[in-house]
């Protein structure tokens, strides 16, 4: 994609305020541990942060973790979030990127994200394309959108592995949310977020057949590898099992963490 003379994107003050607020909310409900970092030369973009998606609470966790690391990313989120009365207005005011899945406009999200990254933004994406349903809560086989965004923009991809948000809110939230929040305030579970080293996609020719699929596998693999140290005492299945969370195996990532 050709570069332009457009001014680099700057995070709105409202979004910076929400990051501070998220840090406070997470601190009330859990003990946040952030490790790893983003190279200084990538901190203000262009950059793609690729995170695993485990729970409805983890966007708040990632917002707080990015605040800790002084990063203000634009988040790619489903159109349903933007249609919500209050949250949608906040998402639009913060400059986040809407993804209308399964509609004729779905492809526009990639164009908007690629333009945002090319103009210097940090964009946060979920390469799995949904909250993962793997029985062990390991990253699922991904969708190719993140890889295609990396190819279109030429931006570096940094994996952001996270673990523990499932102990704060149930999958079925808002059902059961009040009880879960009360339990979290008392127990204050540990939530870990790790910014890993950039994913090496240099050996993949974007024009070659299957390039997006291979790059997607590399991104999901990087997430899996960086997640392993965050859950060393839970190598197969999570210690805390959310009874509202369904599971399925059809999108399991073929490489298991015990093969590291």
């Amino acid at each position: 994609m050709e570069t332009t003379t457009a001014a680099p994107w700057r995070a709105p003050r409202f979004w910076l305020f929400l990051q501070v607020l998220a840090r406070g909310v997470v601190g009330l409900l859990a003990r946040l541990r952030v490790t790893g970092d983003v190279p200084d030369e990538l901190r203000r973009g262009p950059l793609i942060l690729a995170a695993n998606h485990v729970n409805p609470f983890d966007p708040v966790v990632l917002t707080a973790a990015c605040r800790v690391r002084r990063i203000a990313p634009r988040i790619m989120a489903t159109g349903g979030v933007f249609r919500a009365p209050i949250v949608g207005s906040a998402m639009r005011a913060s400059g986040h990127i809407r993804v209308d899945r399964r509609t004729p406009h779905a492809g526009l999200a990639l164009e908007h994200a690629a333009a945002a990254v090319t103009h210097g933004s940090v964009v946060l994406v979920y390469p799995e394309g949904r909250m993962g349903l793997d029985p062990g809560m390991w990253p699922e086989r991904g969708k190719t959108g993140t890889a295609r965004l990396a190819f279109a923009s030429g931006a570096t991809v940094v994996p952001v592995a996270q673990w523990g948000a499932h102990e704060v809110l149930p999958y079925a939230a808002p059902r059961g949310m009040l009880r879960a929040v009360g339990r979290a305030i008392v127990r204050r579970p540990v939530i870990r977020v790790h910014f890993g080293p950039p994913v090496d996609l240099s050996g993949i020719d974007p024009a070659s057949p299957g390039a997006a699929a291979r790059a997607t596998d590399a991104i999901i693999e990087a997430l899996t590898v960086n997640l392993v140290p965050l859950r060393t005492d839970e190598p197969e299945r999570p210690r805390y099992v959310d009874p509202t969370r369904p599971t399925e195996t059809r999108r399991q990532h073929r490489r298991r963490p015990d093969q590291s």
Side-chain angles (χ1 to χ4, degrees), residues 41 44 57 62 78 80 90 92 132 145 152 198 211 215:
E41 65 273 16
R44 296 187 180 276
F57 188 59
L62 290 171
T78 180
R92 288 188 291 272

Side-chain angles (χ1 to χ4, degrees), residues 92-109:
R92 288 188 291 272
S94 299
H96 299 313
I97 300 169
R98 177 172 176 159
V99 182
D100 289 304
R101 298 189 180 98
R102 304 182 187 89
T103 74
H105 307 294
L108 291 176

Side-chain angles (χ1 to χ4, degrees), residues 8 32 51 56 121 128 154 188 193 202 218-219 228 240:
L32 180 63
S121 292
E128 295 165 281
R188 297 190 72 244
V193 179
S202 62
I219 293 167
V228 170
Y240 174 78

Side-chain angles (χ1 to χ4, degrees), residues 72-83:
R74 303 176 72 175
I75 301 173
M76 294 189 73
T78 180
V81 175
F82 284 82
R83 290 190 293 270

Side-chain angles (χ1 to χ4, degrees), residues 15 47-52 58-59 61-63 66 71-77 96-97 117 121-127 146 149 158 160 162 195:
W15 174 221
L47 176 66
I48 300 168
L49 300 177
N52 57 316
D58 69 49
V61 169
L62 290 171
T63 298
C66 286
I71 306 168
R74 303 176 72 175
I75 301 173
M76 294 189 73
H96 299 313
I97 300 169
V117 173
S121 292
V122 177
V123 172
L124 189 150
V125 299
Y126 288 112
T146 304
L149 174 59
V158 166
V160 186
Q162 58 170 321
F195 291 82

